[in-house]
């Protein structure tokens, strides 16, 4: 079970780095619970797909130095990584986008069911990101 969980999370991040939201969606359950830092909770694959589409327009990001940790049961995982990004289109309530580049440490926690991701909770330092794109 541990290898399946690791494989699923690895495939999810490979799809992210390939800018392939369809492959990301293939890694999650229909009832995915998606929590991102300062934002609310998105429930369901349709809301997750909307988020992916928005991110693809507003940001170009690659995750590097990804380390994945999985519990023995293969039901929970965590990942630590560094986001290398470019801010492409202004997100409401955030600084104006002018193609600013940023490097930001981040991490995610996962629940897995039947070989798919059922929860993703992602954390990063929003104030650090704002400071980097406000220069």
């Amino acid at each position: 079970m541990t290898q399946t969980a690791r494989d699923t999370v690895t495939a999810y991040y490979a799809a992210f780095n390939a800018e392939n939201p369809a492959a990301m969606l293939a890694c999650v359950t229909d009832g995915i619970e998606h929590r991102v830092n300062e934002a609310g909770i998105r429930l369901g694959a349709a809301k997750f797909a909307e988020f992916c589409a928005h991110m693809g327009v507003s940001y170009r990001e690659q995750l590097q130095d990804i380390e994945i940790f999985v519990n023995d049961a293969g039901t929970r995982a965590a990942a630590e990584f560094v986001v290398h990004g470019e801010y492409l289109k202004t997100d409401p309530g955030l600084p104006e986008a002018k193609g600013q580049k940023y490097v930001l440490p981040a991490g995610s926690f996962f629940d897995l069911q039947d070989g798919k991701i059922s929860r993703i909770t992602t954390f990063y330092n929003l104030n650090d990101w704002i400071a980097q794109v406000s220069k």
Side-chain angles (χ1 to χ4, degrees), residues 71-95:
N71 72 343
D72 290 339
T75 57
R76 300 185 78 190
E80 184 177 24
F81 46 88
V82 179
V83 181
H84 294 257
E86 185 176 359
Y87 188 29
L88 304 173
K89 182 179 178 193
T90 303
D91 231 342
L94 295 174

Side-chain angles (χ1 to χ4, degrees), residues 53-60 86-91 97 102:
H54 167 76
M55 289 295 291
V57 170
S58 298
Y59 307 89
R60 181 177 301 118
E86 185 176 359
Y87 188 29
L88 304 173
K89 182 179 178 193
T90 303
D91 231 342
Y102 52 91

Side-chain angles (χ1 to χ4, degrees), residues 104-131:
L104 191 66
S108 292
F109 298 95
F110 301 88
D111 284 339
L112 294 104
Q113 296 175 344
D114 300 322
K116 290 197 170 196
I117 298 166
S118 60
R119 176 188 58 89
I120 304 169
T121 303
T122 301
F123 294 99
Y124 54 88
N125 186 323
L126 182 61
N127 289 330
D128 182 8
W129 180 85
I130 289 172

Side-chain angles (χ1 to χ4, degrees), residues 15 19 29 43-44 47 60 62 69 77 79 85 87 96 102 110 128 135:
E19 299 177 16
T29 63
L43 295 175
K47 292 284 185 190
R60 181 177 301 118
Q62 288 289 298
F69 309 90
Y87 188 29
E96 182 182 352
Y102 52 91
F110 301 88
D128 182 8
K135 292 178 182 177

